Amino acid sequence: MNSKTITKRKDNFSQWLTARGAEVLEPTSEWELMRFRAGDETSVIYRNKAEQVNFTGGSLEAWNAYRNNLKWRAAPKTTRKRMARKKRTPIIISLFKRDGNLCFFCQKELGHDFTREHLVSITHGGPDNTHNMVLAHSQCNNDVGHLSAAEKIRIHVESVIKNANKVCSKTAD
């Protein structure tokens, strides 16, 4: 691959990286085409004198995910413990009192398979308090984990409206 390919797609790639939580940094030399931080790692795409491209850190993985429209996250995937009903912490209890027993995203009853979701992830600087937390099915949480807080709230609002329309149509019958 030559450096012209990267240079042509640099702006779109930068936006793509930023949308997935990476921090795009300024190049530190004339040979660097791109520099970004993903989690604790700084990755660089640079060119040599022959205009050939070299990748360091996780830059090749990110570039391939971008080119092939694959999933990619800047931060390492977090694992969340599933909480059984009998092990509800004070935080979980307060979230149930505040939000009820419905998944934030799909508005269906939670049951036993739920997790705590941060609207603004901790890796993106979100606070670890109840103002930034909701309860969600594990699958719903996994499906939206990479989205911004605004996108998560949009999904919530659309689900609430969809359920309200169902209720209205049932009462109209």
Side-chain angles (χ1 to χ4, degrees):
M1 176 183 320
N2 65 31
S3 63
K4 291 180 184 178
T5 304
I6 304 283
T7 305
K8 284 181 192 175
R9 297 180 179 175
K10 183 178 178 180
D11 290 338
N12 287 339
F13 184 49
S14 293
Q15 291 172 356
W16 184 87
L17 286 167
T18 303
R20 282 151 185 81
E23 178 185 7
V24 177
L25 306 169
E26 288 296 316
T28 59
S29 78
E30 64 183 277
W31 303 105
E32 289 184 8
L33 300 171
M34 296 269 322
R35 174 181 282 265
F36 62 92
R37 183 176 301 124
D40 293 337
E41 179 180 57
T42 299
S43 300
V44 180
I45 303 172
Y46 65 95
R47 65 181 170 86
N48 60 22
K49 288 182 181 179
E51 295 295 321
Q52 292 180 332
V53 176
N54 293 302
F55 296 87
T56 67
S59 60
L60 181 59
E61 180 185 352
W63 178 255
N64 286 335
Y66 164 73
R67 289 195 57 208
N68 297 310
N69 200 23
L70 302 173
K71 286 187 176 183
W72 182 84
R73 291 172 54 127
K77 187 170 185 173
T78 57
T79 56
R80 301 188 194 271
K81 294 179 184 175
R82 289 187 172 80
M83 299 176 198
R85 278 195 184 265
K86 61 186 176 187
K87 292 190 177 185
R88 289 188 179 170
T89 65
I91 290 174
I92 299 298
I93 292 168
S94 67
L95 290 172
F96 269 109
K97 285 181 181 176
R98 183 189 74 193
D99 300 336
N101 192 29
L102 300 179
C103 173
F104 184 78
F105 300 109
C106 71
Q107 294 296 296
K108 294 180 181 169
E109 193 168 321
L110 284 170
H112 294 288
D113 185 31
F114 66 88
T115 60
R116 215 174 15 151
E117 168 67 355
H118 290 85
L119 292 175
V120 178
S121 69
I122 300 297
T123 57
H124 288 103
D128 190 20
N129 62 44
T130 57
H131 299 292
N132 187 38
M133 293 178 196
V134 296
L135 298 174
H137 292 114
S138 297
Q139 186 59 51
C140 294
N141 190 351
N142 286 338
D143 292 344
V144 303
H146 65 285
L147 299 177
S148 69
E151 291 169 311
K152 291 175 184 179
I153 291 169
R154 180 188 51 77
I155 290 169
H156 169 73
V157 170
E158 288 172 357
S159 183
V160 168
I161 291 170
K162 181 180 172 184
N163 283 346
N165 287 338
K166 284 181 186 177
V167 170
C168 289
S169 67
K170 284 182 183 179
T171 54
D173 293 339

